[in-house]
Amino acid sequence: MAPRPVALLLQYDGGAFAGWQLQPRERTVQGEVEAALRRLLGHRVPVAGAGRTDAGVHALGQVAAAEVPERWEPEALRRALNALLPADVWVAGAHREVPGFDPRRHALERTYCYRIGTDAASRGPFRRRWEWGVRGPVDATLLRSAAAGLVGTHGFQALSAAGPAREHWRCRVREALWQVREDAPGLEFWITADRFLHKMVRFLVGTLVDIGHGRRPLADLEQLLHGDDNRLASPPAPPHGLFLVAVRYPTPHDAGRP
Amino acid sequence: MAPRPVALLLQYDGGAFAGWQLQPRERTVQGEVEAALRRLLGHRVPVAGAGRTDAGVHALGQVAAAEVPERWEPEALRRALNALLPADVWVAGAHREVPGFDPRRHALERTYCYRIGTDAASRGPFRRRWEWGVRGPVDATLLRSAAAGLVGTHGFQALSAAGPAREHWRCRVREALWQVREDAPGLEFWITADRFLHKMVRFLVGTLVDIGHGRRPLADLEQLLHGDDNRLASPPAPPHGLFLVAVRYPTPHDAGRP
């Protein structure tokens, strides 16, 4: 029987990784998952991910797919992988997918969360790995107004890292909001869109926090959404506050199901 | 002017330490704090801690003291130390103490917390560092009954690591209880006592969880509190679930204040 794709729901602490994507001589999440699959199956199996998280960025719900022989039950595969993977990568779920499943192309939207701490203890040993400790008061009302302005379809060229020319820089943002954290003093920025450009969430958070600190006016954001020069954006927020939380796919009943 | 002691409130992630206490050729918390003070002050300053946490055990409220020249404001010292200390140790607070202050001998009681996770995700990358993921259902009512039996003065020889002969093994437990966790599925064991023997909390949690799992009867605990053989206790729970939360001292108005 031909192998059929298994979808893996992955969590990882990005702190000790050079990002998701396989790179020679670097420790990457894709590399660790492929190494574990190779040990399990005896041959190389390429792993495709829904999103290329950068060095230092975490995931609570990255989705990856690999062609695995039918004899492997997804739950048995999940357990076997967890026994082989290092402590900072964990397979939270696994299920069979339809042939041809492509976690990147078939995704409808992604959700990211960026965590900010506003007290001194956010720089303590238990929290500093997974949040950005910002100093000084942040105006939550300003942050919320700025986030509301992101919803809709906009060009994010000036709010992402420069890279190769693209067909377009438009992203459709379905939701963008700030929530007060319950676990510690601070805020979380939640954003869901059909796609994200390189470092887009970090550029957004860097600029929004500057607005919330009163260091630049709210009006700058609209300018940036019409511009193409990321030197006008604030420096991107550090990677360790960012989590890829979820990737959404068509349900089997949706028309677009592959 | 003679140096006066400064009390430091320390937080640390014990995962990469061979414990609190200075040891040659090992990375210890005391060693890191002494190294930072030496860089700051130009000479060696011994640091005394309230409790000797073991390898892998964390602290949210360890108290340490060092003799620091009067010209150092405690808050300035705190910031300077945090700039020099590695990411897994953090000085949360600092204040001047009376001459002769001894964080171990003058402590009235200590509070420890042990965290247990009861879902599969407790073994995921974000939680496994700081909790013990136990498998199978745990009977919270049994756990609570067992904890209630610990309050009072008991001998804990059979519930601690063997060591050199001591005058006595009695500890006065003021509070011992299990709380349902709010941050994730699981439980926390909180215990406050005048003193703790070596590995005592971990032996207690190992035995209590066996009782909560139905692997041994509740009556065993009372037997152990009257015994002297720790081979009859369950294996100690792993260190990474344990936190030294607080150390309490007489307030300046108490009679016993040094």
Side-chain angles (χ1 to χ4, degrees):
Chain A
M1 267 187 303
R4 266 180 63 200
V6 168
L8 303 171
L9 186 68
L10 295 174
Q11 297 191 349
Y12 45 85
D13 174 350
F17 286 108
W20 164 263
Q21 197 178 11
L22 208 59
Q23 294 175 58
R25 286 174 302 279
E26 296 276 8
R27 184 171 186 264
T28 67
V29 185
Q30 189 185 8
E32 291 290 345
V33 178
E34 290 196 354
L37 275 172
R38 179 176 205 141
R39 277 186 63 186
L40 219 53
L41 306 178
H43 59 275
R44 183 174 177 245
V45 179
V47 172
R52 295 179 183 170
T53 53
D54 276 327
V57 175
H58 318 293
L60 288 165
Q62 169 77 286
V63 175
E67 301 280 334
V68 176
E70 291 263 17
R71 69 174 182 279
W72 278 93
E73 285 299 321
E75 179 58 18
L77 180 73
R78 188 184 79 79
R79 286 168 186 268
L81 283 173
N82 280 337
L84 291 172
L85 283 167
D88 46 2
V89 189
W90 193 65
V91 187
H95 66 267
R96 283 280 167 194
E97 264 296 344
V98 292
F101 172 70
D102 181 326
R104 190 180 62 77
R105 285 200 310 114
H106 294 154
L108 294 178
E109 56 184 27
R110 285 103 173 142
T111 299
Y112 282 90
C113 174
Y114 196 99
R115 298 213 299 180
I116 282 170
T118 49
D119 58 335
S122 74
R123 296 185 291 278
F126 301 103
R127 290 172 47 197
R128 65 182 294 160
R129 293 168 174 272
W130 300 322
E131 65 188 75
W132 180 28
V134 302
R135 288 166 199 261
V138 191
D139 183 331
T141 307
L142 264 175
L143 286 181
R144 292 207 171 90
S145 300
L150 297 173
V151 176
T153 300
H154 305 281
F156 285 89
Q157 189 173 3
L159 286 155
S160 58
R166 291 169 171 273
E167 204 180 319
H168 71 86
W169 280 267
R170 284 190 304 278
C171 303
R172 200 175 63 242
V173 177
R174 185 168 62 79
E175 192 171 82
L177 50 86
W178 288 90
Q179 274 190 340
V180 173
R181 283 171 57 183
E182 289 176 4
D183 60 326
L187 294 154
E188 290 173 352
F189 177 61
W190 288 81
I191 183 166
T192 298
D194 61 342
R195 66 173 195 158
F196 287 87
L197 308 178
H198 189 204
K199 296 195 182 175
M200 176 172 142
V201 184
R202 292 167 54 197
F203 268 101
L204 276 171
V205 170
T207 301
L208 292 180
V209 167
D210 267 359
I211 291 170
H213 269 136
R215 289 196 205 107
R216 56 189 302 171
L218 181 54
D220 278 10
L221 189 61
E222 196 166 343
Q223 295 252 301
L224 288 164
L225 291 175
H226 289 99
D228 57 8
D229 184 355
N230 73 5
R231 289 172 302 180
L232 302 177
S234 302
H240 64 268
L242 183 58
F243 294 76
L244 170 55
V245 174
V247 186
R248 195 165 70 83
Y249 294 92
T251 63
H253 303 289
D254 284 346
R257 187 65 173 176
Chain B
M1 266 186 302
R4 265 180 62 201
V6 168
L8 303 171
L9 185 68
L10 295 174
Q11 297 191 348
Y12 47 85
D13 175 351
F17 286 108
W20 164 263
Q21 197 179 11
L22 207 59
Q23 295 175 58
R25 287 173 304 278
E26 296 276 7
R27 183 170 187 264
T28 66
V29 184
Q30 189 185 8
E32 292 290 345
V33 178
E34 289 196 355
L37 275 171
R38 180 178 203 140
R39 277 186 63 188
L40 220 53
L41 306 179
H43 60 276
R44 182 170 178 248
V45 179
V47 172
R52 294 179 184 171
T53 54
D54 275 328
V57 175
H58 316 294
L60 288 165
Q62 171 76 286
V63 175
E67 301 280 334
V68 176
E70 291 262 18
R71 68 172 183 278
W72 277 93
E73 285 300 320
E75 178 59 19
L77 179 73
R78 187 185 79 79
R79 286 168 186 269
L81 284 173
N82 280 336
L84 291 172
L85 283 166
D88 46 3
V89 189
W90 193 64
V91 187
H95 66 267
R96 283 281 167 194
E97 265 296 344
V98 292
F101 173 68
D102 181 327
R104 189 180 63 76
R105 286 199 309 114
H106 295 153
L108 293 179
E109 56 184 27
R110 284 99 173 146
T111 297
Y112 281 90
C113 174
Y114 195 100
R115 297 212 301 179
I116 282 171
T118 50
D119 58 337
S122 74
R123 296 185 291 278
F126 301 103
R127 290 172 47 197
R128 66 182 295 160
R129 292 168 175 274
W130 300 321
E131 65 189 76
W132 180 28
V134 301
R135 287 165 200 261
V138 192
D139 184 331
T141 307
L142 265 175
L143 286 180
R144 291 207 171 91
S145 300
L150 298 173
V151 177
T153 300
H154 305 280
F156 285 89
Q157 188 173 4
L159 286 155
S160 58
R166 290 170 171 272
E167 202 181 322
H168 71 87
W169 280 268
R170 284 190 304 278
C171 303
R172 198 175 65 241
V173 177
R174 186 168 62 80
E175 191 172 80
L177 50 86
W178 287 89
Q179 274 192 339
V180 173
R181 282 171 58 183
E182 289 177 4
D183 61 325
L187 295 154
E188 289 173 352
F189 176 62
W190 288 79
I191 183 166
T192 298
D194 61 342
R195 66 173 194 158
F196 287 87
L197 307 178
H198 191 204
K199 296 196 184 173
M200 174 172 143
V201 185
R202 292 168 54 198
F203 268 100
L204 276 171
V205 170
T207 301
L208 293 179
V209 167
D210 268 358
I211 290 171
H213 270 138
R215 290 196 204 107
R216 57 189 303 170
L218 181 54
D220 277 10
L221 190 61
E222 197 166 343
Q223 294 254 301
L224 287 163
L225 290 175
H226 289 99
D228 58 8
D229 185 355
N230 72 5
R231 289 171 304 180
L232 302 177
S234 302
H240 63 270
L242 182 59
F243 295 75
L244 171 55
V245 175
V247 186
R248 195 164 70 82
Y249 294 91
T251 63
H253 303 289
D254 284 344
R257 186 68 172 173

